[in-house]
Amino acid sequence: FQRSCLWKEHHGPGWVRIKTIIGSGAAESIAPPSMAKGVRIKASEMSKQGKSYDAANGGKIANLGQQFIHVTTNEGRQGWTKCQVGEVRDPLMSVSQICDQGNTVQFDSTGGWIHNLIDKSWTRFERRHNVFELDLWLTSSDACGETQEATGKPGCTRPGK
């Protein structure tokens, strides 16, 4: 992995840990194209319209599409998350998007918890260097495979897809 990519760590055969930032000011979850190179980037409403996000520094971040990513938590629970794709430095998980999926989010001085109101499960996240980070685990093929753009070019797909 590139030296500047501190949020992506290879762990043993078959797994990559992604350290995402949990942000309460983010309207949608967004990740760089390098986060899940083996997952197809599909056109989103915003990308079809050529729209962009306003960055914290006043700049613009073009919406390049979206990905539906199979993830595993530190607790071993599996699920799917939708991330918009844009040229951002770190993956950012939106608290409002997490809550809209039937969860509550609780913060404390050491990190916090995501509580799923449907199955009653809890997912822990940590406060590291004053930033709240949620670890998500991707398979090596999803994290490091060949990027599949929204243009519909052929590429790797998950078995059974």
Side-chain angles (χ1 to χ4, degrees):
F1 300 114
Q2 295 177 348
R3 190 169 178 80
S4 62
C5 186
L6 300 176
W7 48 265
K8 193 173 192 178
E9 299 174 344
H10 189 78
H11 280 268
W15 292 99
V16 174
R17 179 172 68 170
I18 306 295
K19 295 188 280 185
T20 67
I21 296 172
I22 296 184
S24 61
E28 295 185 277
S29 297
I30 187 168
S34 59
M35 184 175 99
K37 289 183 175 185
V39 178
R40 181 175 305 280
I41 299 171
K42 298 179 179 180
S44 65
E45 289 304 314
M46 279 187 73
S47 69
K48 289 177 190 177
Q49 298 171 17
K51 292 188 175 180
S52 59
Y53 295 99
D54 294 325
N57 67 3
K60 297 286 185 186
I61 301 169
N63 182 303
L64 304 176
Q66 61 190 1
Q67 292 176 305
F68 294 89
I69 305 168
H70 185 254
V71 299
T72 302
T73 66
N74 284 340
E75 294 79 12
R77 281 187 294 284
Q78 296 185 23
W80 293 88
T81 190
K82 178 175 77 170
C83 285
Q84 301 304 306
V85 179
E87 293 296 341
V88 293
R89 188 183 67 203
D90 300 297
L92 178 63
M93 302 305 291
S94 164
V95 169
S96 60
Q97 186 175 321
I98 293 168
C99 291
D100 288 345
Q101 297 300 311
N103 300 287
T104 61
V105 181
Q106 176 183 339
F107 294 86
D108 64 30
S109 64
T110 63
W113 297 90
I114 298 170
H115 180 220
N116 184 294
L117 298 173
I118 298 164
D119 68 12
K120 308 300 183 204
S121 63
W122 294 83
T123 301
R124 176 82 177 142
F125 56 89
E126 303 292 328
R127 184 176 178 178
R128 300 178 184 127
H129 310 289
N130 282 328
V131 175
F132 293 96
E133 292 182 347
L134 170 66
D135 292 340
L136 295 177
W137 294 83
L138 277 61
T139 62
S140 293
S141 61
D142 280 356
C144 304
E146 182 179 326
T147 302
Q148 300 175 42
E149 299 297 332
T151 58
K153 295 179 194 172
C156 300
T157 58
R158 236 181 322 280
K161 294 287 179 184

